[in-house]
Amino acid sequence: MRRSDGVRWGRRRRGEGFGRWLPRGPAQVMFLADARTGAVFCLALATVDWRYGGYALGGAALGTGTARLLHVARDRVEQGLEGYNSCLVALWCAVFLGAGRPATALLAAAACVVTAVATAAVVRLLDAWRLPPLTLPYCLLASAVTIAAPAFQRVRPHDAGLAALPGPATGPTGLHWEDLWRAFFHGISQVFFLDQWYAGALLLVGLFLADRVAGLLACAGSVTGILTAWALGAPAAGIADGTMGCNAVLVAVALCGVFLAATPATLLYALLGAATATAVTPAVAHLLAPSGGRAFTWPFVLTTLCFLAAARSFPRLTGRPPAPDEVRSRLPGATARAA
């Protein structure tokens, strides 16, 4: 992912090697090419279960290593752009399929290699629209494994059943102080599938370590997710566990300072996107309910791609007028010309 001009990227330095690039994979989950942030993220995972940190770092290594062996562009490899999707895939396998199962380790390793191929395909397809791949490769792999898992006894734990079809929301909607502060940190920790609030706090430290703007936007995204879910009447339990707000965190960071320059206008646009992703989250979860009801980061991917494509029509956000082809296509009576 490429940051806008107003945000500092980690630059390539002489003598950097694979060990320096590797932690950037976990850091790129939050759009940062900073090895220190990646190390803090892995530490946050290890505070919950040391194996989670190992899976995340190992997944990033397999994805990055596969891309390097296939001679993917050096800049992508060095900045960690080939490691973050495989990091998420490996971590997802550990959290939801059992970190201590040998079958999980083998599946995660194979999935990380396939993720490198999926990343290349997604990058190639979306490049035609000048859109970033985001976490789309991870979503595709995780969704495919989730849907196929019940057919393979060595993949799915025997005590894990499929989710029932969705029903109306139930439970109290009033939020107490404890719900609020837990929801705030859980919105960040759930980006890495973690239920522990202290992991979210440590992840936030890693964000501020690399980029204060990114840290503040993550906070704003979490708060926006909480307020949106509460305003729409989501049950307090669903807000407090962070599953309603984690996609809002990613959208807020992506749309202000990463793919669009950080300005007051893009801040409002990013918060609108964060609120949209919160509303989209249960819709995606309901669609995927027969296979477990996990939304993954589909709400983030769908919302961000939509908002980025739309931003090209808004000079206030991009700082430049639309391209001539875009203007011509909006003129009354305009028709497409044959190539």
Side-chain angles (χ1 to χ4, degrees), residues 166 244 276-290 293-295 298-299 302:
M244 292 289 289
T276 302
T278 304
V280 170
T281 296
V284 174
H286 287 176
L287 287 173
L288 298 177
R294 298 186 180 94
W298 280 112
L302 297 174

Side-chain angles (χ1 to χ4, degrees), residues 196-301:
Q196 292 75 16
W197 69 268
Y198 55 84
L202 192 52
L203 291 169
L204 196 57
V205 169
L207 278 171
F208 276 105
L209 180 66
D211 192 310
R212 183 176 62 180
V213 173
L216 291 173
L217 285 166
C219 294
S222 186
V223 171
T224 301
I226 293 170
L227 292 177
T228 303
W230 172 79
L232 293 175
I239 299 175
D241 67 11
T243 54
M244 292 289 289
C246 59
N247 283 282
V249 170
L250 291 170
V251 172
V253 178
L255 292 179
C256 184
V258 176
F259 301 110
L260 299 173
T263 66
T266 57
L267 173 60
L268 294 176
Y269 194 65
L271 296 182
L272 175 62
T276 302
T278 304
V280 170
T281 296
V284 174
H286 287 176
L287 287 173
L288 298 177
S291 61
R294 298 186 180 94
F296 306 111
T297 55
W298 280 112
F300 155 64
V301 170

